[in-house]
Amino acid sequence: MTPLVRTLAGIAGGWLATKLFGLSEALQSAHGDTGAKRLSSRRSFTRNATLGDVGIVVAQIGVAFGVLLWPNKTGAFGTAITVPGGDVPDVNGEPFKWAPGKFYLVNLEDSGVRALYWKCVHLGCTVPWISGEHEFICPCHGSIYEYNGDRVSGPAPYGLDQMPVTVNDDGSVTVDTNPSSLLVNNY
Ligand code: FES
């Protein structure tokens, strides 16, 4: 908002406030001196116009802060996240963990890159990758998943859910972390 528009808006707001809040005053002093009433009216107008202008400036500052502080969701769970080619694991290599997106990227010899949602399909615990075992082992009730996310044992009824992936021309991989896009792993 330009200063001119803001000033005009402040004056308009002041005029409106004067009309609204001065109504009862006018009614109460119906028998008072006319000159004094005019002076009082001018003062009220100036005061309210100033207050209106200040109010608009404060509102603008509030909006600006709100925009600045609004969380930037890019790269977070629920959005499409692109993992640079350099972070994509080698075939059967250590899974790449991307915490904001809640997934592991694994690279399979037969089917290529796969994104595994790290939430245990039993009761929802976060499942860590255990390097020494070369498996995902849930700490809550002991469900075990293979490198490719398939179920090995435990109370989990099936394997880790998968997220759709797109392998880009530059070698990077884009993962769709929207929960509604999850692919159920029946193995
Ligand atoms: S929540 Fe993972 S085994 Fe129960």
Side-chain angles (χ1 to χ4, degrees):
M1 190 183 283
T2 65
L4 177 62
V5 174
R6 194 176 60 221
T7 302
L8 291 175
I11 290 172
W15 178 81
L16 189 61
T18 301
K19 288 293 176 195
L20 290 174
F21 297 117
L23 190 58
S24 62
E25 198 178 301
L27 289 172
Q28 284 171 5
S29 58
H31 301 293
D33 177 68
T34 307
K37 276 198 298 187
R38 244 187 260 124
L39 183 60
S40 169
S41 177
R42 272 201 301 272
R43 281 183 184 149
S44 295
F45 177 81
T46 306
R47 181 194 64 211
N48 292 331
T50 304
L51 285 175
D53 206 12
V54 169
I56 288 171
V57 170
V58 169
Q60 282 183 304
I61 291 172
V63 169
F65 266 100
V67 169
L68 276 176
L69 297 177
W70 195 258
N72 181 0
K73 297 291 281 181
T74 304
F77 182 68
T79 67
I81 297 173
T82 297
V83 176
D87 289 327
V88 176
D90 296 331
V91 173
N92 289 326
E94 190 81 0
F96 172 76
K97 177 182 174 184
W98 182 248
K102 303 182 180 180
F103 65 82
Y104 294 98
L105 216 54
V106 296
N107 197 347
L108 308 172
E109 197 167 0
D110 52 349
S111 53
V113 175
R114 182 178 283 186
L116 304 175
Y117 185 24
W118 72 16
K119 183 178 173 183
C120 184
V121 296
H122 178 223
L123 293 178
C125 288
T126 299
V127 184
W129 168 252
I130 308 298
S131 273
E133 305 293 330
H134 204 70
E135 288 172 326
F136 296 95
I137 302 177
C138 183
C140 294
H141 312 98
S143 288
I144 299 176
Y145 305 90
E146 283 181 48
Y147 178 77
N148 65 4
D150 291 356
R151 175 185 174 278
V152 175
S153 63
Y158 44 81
L160 292 172
D161 292 332
Q162 296 173 32
M163 295 171 172
V165 297
T166 304
V167 178
N168 304 306
D169 290 342
D170 62 359
S172 62
V173 174
T174 300
V175 181
D176 176 3
T177 66
N178 190 326
S180 65
S181 305
L182 286 175
L183 309 168
V184 174
N185 177 1
N186 289 315
Y187 299 99

